[in-house]
Amino acid sequence: MNYVQLIEETRAGLVENVHFGMICGVNDQYQTVCHAGDQDHYTFYRSASKPIQAIPVFLSTIISKYGLTRQEAALFTASHRGETYHIDALESMLSKLPVSEEDLFCPPSYPLNVAPREEMLRKNMEKRRLYHNCSAKHMGFVSVCRELGYPVEGYWEVDHPLQQQILTILSELSEVPVSDITIGKDGCGVPVFAIPLKNMAITYLKLACPDLIQDPLLQKAVKEMTSVMNEYPQMVASERFICSVLLQDSNIIAKGGAQGVYCFGLKDEKLGFALKVLNGSEDVWPAIVASILEQINYHNKETITRLKELKPSIIKNDAGNQVGTIKETFLLTQW
């Protein structure tokens, strides 16, 4: 495994922390145009697979049939953070879809964001499956099963017809044969897939540029899905979170996953990127993505500025005094 140093953190001039990983960028010919480290490293998508897992919903008529709003539909792709507007939309979806909370295989949880989680704890509220960051994805799974006549029981197993459909979609988007896809189990209990980092970048290239997708029905579904992600970015994550910041830029489709995985695609440039931070850190994503965009001379400087506001280059202590720095140390090898 070949990896490079991506980020260096210093305090009082001494290196205090480093983050290693790999990055790959591809063009619309599926050729690597820039990279840092091993582009063939097998990597689990984790929640970066959520837009792919949501595609069966957008291939169906579920959204129109049950009167979901576009804002609610964006949640099918989300790792929602449990803010009030997320919970309100999820409750609304439960009231419309042929789904009960007990159908969901994801475990009861509290929200990811600190404020709503602490508010619920203060009020002695119990954990709910609805609060799990994957709950809307699971609502989509159950809804598709009922729509297509699949059994709901076992929808989380890899040999279930829904999971096999998702596996086939992933193979088509990633250009990786099903036989070469490694399958594990994600945090919420459903299958999670690993493929080479380069092919993850190809997947997000196609999500950003669906005209590259040969199947017209799949192309149409991806266009509809990504349009709601850009239209309602805060539903995909929340305020001041990298996914929502990037999706505010209508030229970008992006989604991150656990253990340091991040993917995004650029529409106008017809480029796809995937990166893996080997220590699993999500905290340094904004700095890494901002540096990638700077190195390729990305035209929307406002997006780069917003990313840098999420992860400033100056480290401050609890009193607000500067005590160190964060610096991107990688240079993309451009082919």
Side-chain angles (χ1 to χ4, degrees), residues 50-294:
K50 281 180 175 170
I52 302 159
Q53 292 167 312
I55 288 173
V57 174
F58 290 86
L59 282 168
S60 75
T61 60
I62 286 170
I63 293 169
S64 59
K65 180 177 179 178
Y66 293 100
L68 298 186
T69 67
R70 290 176 63 79
Q71 184 175 13
E72 291 165 351
L75 277 168
F76 289 124
T77 72
S79 296
H80 75 79
R81 311 289 298 182
E83 295 292 341
T84 300
Y85 54 85
H86 293 133
I87 303 304
D88 288 347
L90 290 163
E91 294 277 19
S92 174
M93 292 167 72
L94 267 184
S95 72
K96 297 174 181 179
L97 292 169
V99 178
S100 70
E101 192 164 352
E102 291 69 32
D103 289 327
L104 308 181
F105 188 67
C106 57
S109 176
Y110 285 120
L112 290 178
N113 275 359
V114 173
R117 181 170 67 246
E118 290 184 345
E119 177 71 10
M120 290 178 185
L121 289 170
R122 280 194 297 270
K123 294 180 178 178
N124 292 317
M125 296 172 65
E126 295 184 356
K127 294 180 179 180
R128 289 180 60 182
R129 298 180 191 276
L130 198 71
Y131 301 154
H132 193 285
N133 79 93
C134 298
S135 61
K137 175 180 75 176
H138 284 257
M139 279 194 221
F141 287 162
V142 174
S143 298
V144 170
C145 287
R146 294 217 157 101
E147 188 73 10
L148 299 182
Y150 296 158
V152 171
E153 180 64 27
Y155 73 79
W156 50 88
E157 301 290 355
V158 70
D159 58 354
H160 188 279
L162 173 61
Q163 299 302 332
Q164 287 297 303
Q165 179 187 8
I166 292 169
L167 185 59
T168 300
I169 291 170
L170 173 61
S171 176
E172 181 168 348
L173 293 178
S174 66
E175 302 289 324
V176 177
V178 169
S179 59
D180 291 342
I181 297 174
T182 299
I183 303 173
K185 186 170 287 190
D186 213 342
C188 65
V190 302
V192 62
F193 310 109
I195 61 174
L197 196 70
K198 176 180 179 178
N199 296 88
M200 295 177 74
I202 290 172
T203 303
Y204 269 75
L205 166 69
K206 290 185 181 180
L207 293 182
C209 305
D211 290 348
L212 297 172
I213 299 170
Q214 298 301 310
D215 182 332
L217 293 178
L218 182 58
Q219 181 186 118
K220 182 175 182 292
V222 168
K223 285 181 178 178
E224 179 66 15
M225 178 185 71
T226 54
S227 70
V228 300
M229 293 175 72
N230 283 131
E231 193 172 342
Y232 293 100
Q234 291 181 356
M235 302 307 286
V236 180
S238 68
E239 299 89 347
R240 296 192 57 76
F241 196 79
I242 183 172
C243 292
S244 296
V245 165
L246 286 173
L247 288 166
Q248 289 175 43
D249 184 332
S250 61
N251 189 49
I252 298 179
I253 294 299
K255 184 70 179 72
Q259 297 303 317
V261 177
Y262 208 85
C263 303
F264 64 98
L266 305 178
K267 300 175 186 180
D268 292 343
E269 295 79 2
K270 296 188 183 300
L271 295 173
F273 292 88
L275 67 92
K276 166 73 171 175
V277 183
L278 286 173
N279 64 5
S281 173
E282 302 176 12
D283 188 49
V284 293
W285 281 342
I288 296 170
V289 175
S291 182
I292 292 171
L293 293 176
E294 284 183 325

Side-chain angles (χ1 to χ4, degrees), residues 20-68:
F20 294 93
M22 54 274 291
I23 301 166
C24 183
V26 299
N27 64 15
D28 58 353
Q29 302 300 309
Y30 311 148
Q31 299 167 329
T32 300
V33 292
C34 57
H35 76 105
D38 185 4
Q39 65 177 2
D40 297 318
H41 178 66
Y42 260 70
T43 305
F44 282 107
Y45 277 90
R46 303 302 302 269
S47 282
S49 66
K50 281 180 175 170
I52 302 159
Q53 292 167 312
I55 288 173
V57 174
F58 290 86
L59 282 168
S60 75
T61 60
I62 286 170
I63 293 169
S64 59
K65 180 177 179 178
Y66 293 100
L68 298 186

Side-chain angles (χ1 to χ4, degrees), residues 254-329:
K255 184 70 179 72
Q259 297 303 317
V261 177
Y262 208 85
C263 303
F264 64 98
L266 305 178
K267 300 175 186 180
D268 292 343
E269 295 79 2
K270 296 188 183 300
L271 295 173
F273 292 88
L275 67 92
K276 166 73 171 175
V277 183
L278 286 173
N279 64 5
S281 173
E282 302 176 12
D283 188 49
V284 293
W285 281 342
I288 296 170
V289 175
S291 182
I292 292 171
L293 293 176
E294 284 183 325
Q295 290 187 47
I296 65 169
N297 196 29
Y298 184 59
H299 68 274
N300 192 337
K301 307 307 180 187
E302 184 179 345
T303 294
I304 296 172
T305 298
R306 288 201 300 263
L307 289 170
K308 290 186 173 184
E309 288 172 351
L310 288 180
K311 189 65 175 176
S313 59
I314 295 172
I315 299 173
K316 295 183 179 181
N317 66 6
D318 295 343
N321 300 317
Q322 180 176 346
V323 296
T325 62
I326 297 172
K327 181 172 67 174
E328 304 84 32
T329 55

